[in-house]
Each structure stands twice: as C-alpha cells, then as structure tokens.
Amino acid sequence: MKPFLKAVVIQGRNGKQRRLEFDPGVNIITGVGSKGKSAILHIFEYCLGATTCRIPLGKVRDFAEWFFVVLHVHDAPVIIGRRAPPATGQASDEAFFDDSAQPAIPSSVEANASIKTACSWLAKRLNVPEGAFRFGTDQVVHGNVELSDLIPLLLQPQSIIATQELFYRTGRLLDKERWAEIVKIALGIISPELLALRAQRARLQKDKDAAEKRRRESEREQKTALLRVQLAWQQASFGGLVPDKRLQSMDDVRSELQLLQQGTPVEPQIDVSAQRRVAELETQSQSARREIKRITAELQQIARIRDASHDVEQSLDKQSARLRVVDLLGTPLRDEVPCPLCGSTLGPSTESTLAELRSSLHEDLVYVRNIPPELDAAQKKLEQQLAEEKARLRDIDAQLLELQRQGVAPTLTEERVQRERFIGALMHNVQWAPMKLSADSEVDLQRMQTQLDDLDEKIRATATERSEVEVSQSLCTRLTKLAGEFKRLDLGGGVLAFDPTFSTIQRVHGSERESLPVLGGAESFVMYHLCALLGLHEQFLEGSFVPPLLILDQPSQTYFPSESDTKETDRKAVKAIYDLLFRIAERQKNRFQIIVLDHADFSADDERFRLARKYDWHGEGGLIEGE
C-alpha cells in the first residue's frame, strides 16, 4: 500500500490529547471559520521540518505542547512529532520519532532526536533519495532532497490555491534552480546521483580550464621574452660580443647565458695578456658569487618550508587526537550525544562528516610526512653545489691574488663593459620569463582529462531513460484531460502543459504560450492549481518517492468568500471540484489520499461527500474541543 497520513495528534500542556484520523482516498473536514481547519495543514508542514511555525496563534498554540503526524508507511505506522514553540518563539528543534514494531505516543513525551535527524529517518523510510556531493572545500550540496523540500507538492494553503503562484515555496525553495532540481528529481527526469556527477564534472572542468589558461599565458610570455632576447643577441653578435647563432628557445638562452657568465677558463700557459686574464677571472668570480647567493636563498627557503611543514604536522596530529577521543563514544552513533571536547551535538547526522574528516586528516598527514625526506634530498644536492661553487670561488680568488702580486691591476676594458651590460640585459629577460611548464603540469592536465572522460561515461550510464520531453508530453496529456473535466475552464482548442524547468503551467495553442498570470482570475487559478497538482500526483504514482498525499485548504474560497454556500451557480462550480477529486480517488483505487479543509458541505445531497466527511465543525466542534 502507498504511504498515507493516518492521523494528526496534538498533545496538550494539560495532558489531554486531540487526535484526528484519516483514511486513503478523499477525506473532508468541513466547518465554519476559526475552528482550526487550516492549522491541520500547518501542523503537517511543521512536523515535516519547516523552518518556521505557521500554526496560527490562539487556541491551538495555547493548548499544544507537542504536535504529531502518524504516517502509514510500508503497511506500518510511523510517528514523527515536534515540540510546539512558545507563543511568540521560534520553531523548536526538539523532535520525537518512533518507527518500532508498535509505535505509540507516550503520555509524557521526551525528545529523542533533533527535527533534522527525525526527518532524515522518515525520509529513509519513504525512500527519499539521499545523494549529495561536496567537492573539496565547496560547501554547495548538489542533488540532495530533504523531506521539507516535498512540502510544496503536498500542500495547497488557502493563501496560495487561488493565486498565480502554483506552489507553496518557502526558505531555500525560493531559489528557482533549487526548486527546479527538486521537481525534476521527483518526476524521474534526473537522479541525485546524476546531479552530483554533473556538479563534480563542472568543477573539474573549471579547474582544467584554469590550468590550460595558465599554460597559454605562460607560453605567450615565453614567446615575448624570447623575441626580446633574440633581438638583443642579434645586436650583440654584430659587435662581436657573442657568436652569431639562432636561439630557438629560452632553454638555449639559459645555456648561452651560463657560458657567458662562466667565461673562458683561465690557463696561465695560454699566451694572453695579463689584463685579459684578470677580466675573465673577475667575470667568473661574479658568476660564482651570484650562484652562491642563489643557492643560499634556496637553502633558506627549504628551512622555512621545513618549519612550516612541522607546524602543520603538529596541528594535524592534534586534530587526529581529538577525533580519537570522539571515537571512544563508539561508532556508528545511534543517539545524539554532546562532544566531550567542544560540547557540540554528535549523532547519526554527523557520521558522514566525521568519516570525511578522518579520511581527509589521514591523507593530509601522509602528504605532510613525505615532505621532510624530499626536502632532505633537495638540501643535500644544494649543499653539494654550494661547496663546489665556494671551492671554485676560492680558486678564482687565489689566481686573482697571484696576478695582483705580479703587479697586474684589474682593469675594465670597453669590451668587458659591453659584455657585462649584455649579460645583465639577458638575465633581466630570463628572470621575468616564466619557466617552461613542468612535466608534472602536463601530467595533471592529462589526469584531469582522464577524470572528465570517466565522469562522462558515468553520466551516460547514470542518465535516466525518461527524457524531459517524454515526461512533459505525458504531463501535458494528463493536465489537458483534467482541464477538460472543468466545463468553466476554456483552453481555446489548445493544451495545458507543465514546464519542469520553470515549474509553471502554460496554455499552449499552436506557437502561442500563455503562463498562469494571464490565464484568468482567482476562479481559474483554483482550477489550474488542481489540474497541475492532481496531474503531477498521477505522474508520481507511476514510480516516484513523493508520498501520494495532497492537502487542500479552502478550494471553495473564490465561490463562497463569506462562507455562504446558498448561491446555486457557485454551488455547482464547487460541486464540480469535489466531483473531480472523487473521480481521481476512484480512478487510483484509493492509492492517492486527498484531504480537503473547507467550509462547503454537500453531505445532504451527495452520498460520496457524506462518506468522505471525517469531521463536521459547523456546530460546536473544532480542532480544540471544549478548550
């Protein structure tokens, strides 16, 4: 049997209890105003996780200590309750949930869960999808459906049913994209898993595009720097400072620059002037000193990285120790308990977060602990290079000292001045030119592309067989048929269509499309609302997780605004609404539950209405009797 609402229960502050029973099919509560009819709808909304309590202030709020909803799920009752808020307070977070073999509301109720946890347990019983996806530090959740997200599909308050707003949306469902997501999941057009995969692919594609953009910018900057160096090299070759050759890349430039900085090795046996030998030795000395300075700076950087990694490792160890203390409470957690360290609430709703945190801390610790060995290898290599450069500098200085003892003074020839200027210009261009992308960057891009290909394959495998066009066509047929049962609803030869993306209905005639705001007044809005909600629920009955339940509040308000139902024309219009509801229930063989809260009463001349009427509050009765 399909799920249905079995009862609404109010536990009073005085220990008394008010219980309303319902059955599958059509259930009607009729009565005059201020009897508590509309409060039933808002009690249902409140117990299903609404962030705000919209139960009107007055008798009901003054009487109630707890509100309960009893649902019949998989041929067994399930109870979910929520503590009533103070008269002027916010919605309570305390909840009661019981899905045992024989669930019951105790005479003295104690909260056993938060409302979020209770709703998540009920959602599991109703087979509501739980798929959700977080990417890295991204806190946006894609593809998850909470129980409160279904409220607009189950309720039509009197403030909505006769307006151009098709659904009763509040909170985060005011986000059109979010609501369109919920509707498409409910209709089976997309699945939570598919939304999660699409979100993951979009983020990965964004990262890959950014990496490719950085590579293109680097290549462009390299080409610009290379053109400047090639021009300077060509000018220098005309003056005989450098050999005439074509530099093809920045790697060629760096190789030639290294040769220029080292200069020609000084051999005393070579027949050259003493001053020329001094100039070349001074060039080599400057090159060695620059290299020593560079290596020293890199060693200092390694020391800073080592200190930082040590601090990070200590912090991660501390976090791991805190998690081990939490693990002493036992896993998995069935009940909510306070954290012994920070006092925050831990329970079933935090299990997935704790698991993700444990995994993330383990990966980070492994990564940080691998840093010191890599730093040791790099430091050893740099220290060896530093020793070689210092030895080279000592040898050069010794040769310069020997030449000075021989009376050879250091001089600056014109050729050497030009040479040093040219080396400085080359170094400036090489310094500002970006290094060629490492092999690791290329590997990262290839890895991202492989991941994108894998996600595309998963998306194709996860995609549902029912396309949006197919579902829209099926809904169009249903809605048009329902609209034909209202004689007052004129489609002008067109059809009535539902747009899942924008969650609205349209009257389509050829290429013309008219949306709800221009399709008439309040009377027409009521009929269009009923066509849309009834058509959607008939579609849901083919295999959706949405409970086959619809609560309608005051569908006759546009015909009997003053609660007078004596006008025969209006009585016929309202009778047509109830006739449609009875036909739908009979057609679905009571698999679909419809609860109507109205002041219209046709029990005197309609046997179906009399049998469906659960409570008549035209007299002394009401939701809170004798209070």
Side-chain angles (χ1 to χ4, degrees), residues 396-411:
I396 294 171
D397 289 343
Q399 294 185 51
L400 285 171
L401 182 61
E402 181 63 27
L403 287 173
Q404 290 173 4
R405 288 174 180 173
Q406 295 175 10
V408 181
T411 59

Side-chain angles (χ1 to χ4, degrees), residues 238-283:
F238 292 156
L241 293 178
V242 294
D244 185 10
K245 61 171 61 177
R246 178 74 173 174
L247 302 179
Q248 299 293 337
S249 65
M250 291 304 296
D251 290 337
D252 294 343
V253 174
R254 293 185 181 94
S255 299
E256 293 296 333
L257 180 59
Q258 186 176 6
L259 293 175
L260 290 174
Q261 289 175 327
Q262 291 175 353
T264 305
V266 178
E267 297 291 342
Q269 296 81 4
I270 299 177
D271 186 19
V272 294
S273 68
Q275 287 187 345
R276 183 62 177 271
R277 289 202 302 273
V278 169
E280 292 183 346
L281 285 171
E282 288 178 345
T283 300

Side-chain angles (χ1 to χ4, degrees), residues 207-501:
D207 292 344
K208 182 174 180 288
D209 292 343
E212 290 179 338
K213 182 180 179 180
R214 290 193 298 270
R215 183 179 64 176
R216 290 193 297 271
E217 291 176 350
S218 177
E219 290 176 348
R220 183 169 60 251
E221 292 174 2
Q222 284 187 42
K223 289 180 181 179
T224 302
L226 181 59
L227 288 174
R228 290 197 297 264
V229 170
Q230 288 174 340
L231 179 60
W233 188 276
Q234 186 179 23
Q235 292 173 349
S237 65
F238 292 156
L241 293 178
V242 294
D244 185 10
K245 61 171 61 177
R246 178 74 173 174
L247 302 179
Q248 299 293 337
S249 65
M250 291 304 296
D251 290 337
D252 294 343
V253 174
R254 293 185 181 94
S255 299
E256 293 296 333
L257 180 59
Q258 186 176 6
L259 293 175
L260 290 174
Q261 289 175 327
Q262 291 175 353
T264 305
V266 178
E267 297 291 342
Q269 296 81 4
I270 299 177
D271 186 19
V272 294
S273 68
Q275 287 187 345
R276 183 62 177 271
R277 289 202 302 273
V278 169
E280 292 183 346
L281 285 171
E282 288 178 345
T283 300
Q284 293 181 33
S285 176
Q286 293 176 359
S287 173
R289 293 179 192 279
R290 283 193 296 266
E291 190 66 14
I292 289 172
K293 185 176 180 181
R294 179 190 67 80
I295 295 174
T296 303
E298 291 189 10
L299 287 172
Q300 292 173 350
Q301 180 67 16
I302 286 177
R304 288 192 291 270
I305 294 174
R306 191 187 302 278
D307 293 340
S309 66
H310 179 68
D311 293 341
V312 172
E313 184 177 0
Q314 285 185 330
S315 176
L316 292 175
D317 284 334
K318 186 180 296 184
Q319 292 296 329
S320 296
R322 291 169 65 91
L323 274 181
R324 287 194 291 273
V325 172
V326 174
D327 290 340
L328 294 176
L329 300 174
T331 56
L333 293 171
R334 172 62 178 175
D335 299 322
E336 295 186 345
V337 295
C339 176
L341 298 174
C342 64
S344 60
T345 302
L346 300 177
S349 61
T350 62
E351 279 295 321
S352 60
T353 303
L354 289 173
E356 292 176 6
L357 187 57
R358 291 188 193 96
S359 175
S360 176
L361 281 175
H362 176 71
E363 293 177 359
D364 292 344
L365 274 171
V366 171
Y367 176 77
V368 170
R369 287 169 179 167
N370 287 333
I371 291 177
E374 296 177 2
L375 293 178
D376 291 341
Q379 182 177 350
K380 184 177 179 181
K381 183 177 179 181
L382 288 172
E383 288 174 347
Q384 184 179 355
Q385 293 177 2
L386 182 62
E388 293 174 355
E389 289 298 327
K390 287 182 177 180
R392 175 169 164 250
L393 180 61
R394 287 195 297 269
D395 181 63
I396 294 171
D397 289 343
Q399 294 185 51
L400 285 171
L401 182 61
E402 181 63 27
L403 287 173
Q404 290 173 4
R405 288 174 180 173
Q406 295 175 10
V408 181
T411 59
L412 287 175
T413 62
E414 181 65 24
E415 178 182 355
R416 184 186 171 199
V417 171
Q418 294 179 0
R419 182 187 180 94
E420 290 297 327
R421 287 177 177 173
F422 176 67
I423 291 175
L426 284 185
M427 289 185 64
H428 175 76
N429 284 285
V430 170
Q431 179 182 1
W432 288 103
M435 295 294 292
K436 186 177 180 181
L437 285 177
S438 64
D440 291 340
S441 299
E442 294 292 338
V443 170
D444 286 341
L445 286 173
Q446 294 176 1
R447 175 181 56 79
M448 290 180 183
Q449 186 57 53
T450 302
Q451 291 177 346
L452 285 172
D453 294 340
D454 292 342
L455 286 173
D456 287 337
E457 184 63 31
K458 289 180 181 179
I459 288 172
R460 284 192 292 271
T462 308
T464 56
E465 297 180 358
R466 305 185 70 185
S467 67
E468 184 169 346
V469 174
E470 178 187 351
V471 173
S472 297
Q473 289 176 345
S474 176
L475 279 172
C476 180
T477 302
R478 294 182 188 277
L479 267 60
T480 304
K481 181 180 178 181
L482 288 169
E485 299 188 39
F486 282 119
K487 294 182 179 180
R488 291 191 177 191
L489 202 57
D490 183 15
L491 298 183
V495 296
L496 196 60
F498 178 79
D499 187 343
T501 300

Side-chain angles (χ1 to χ4, degrees), residues 22 110 113 177 203 416 548:
F22 301 96
E110 294 292 337
E177 293 184 5
R203 175 53 66 92
R416 184 186 171 199

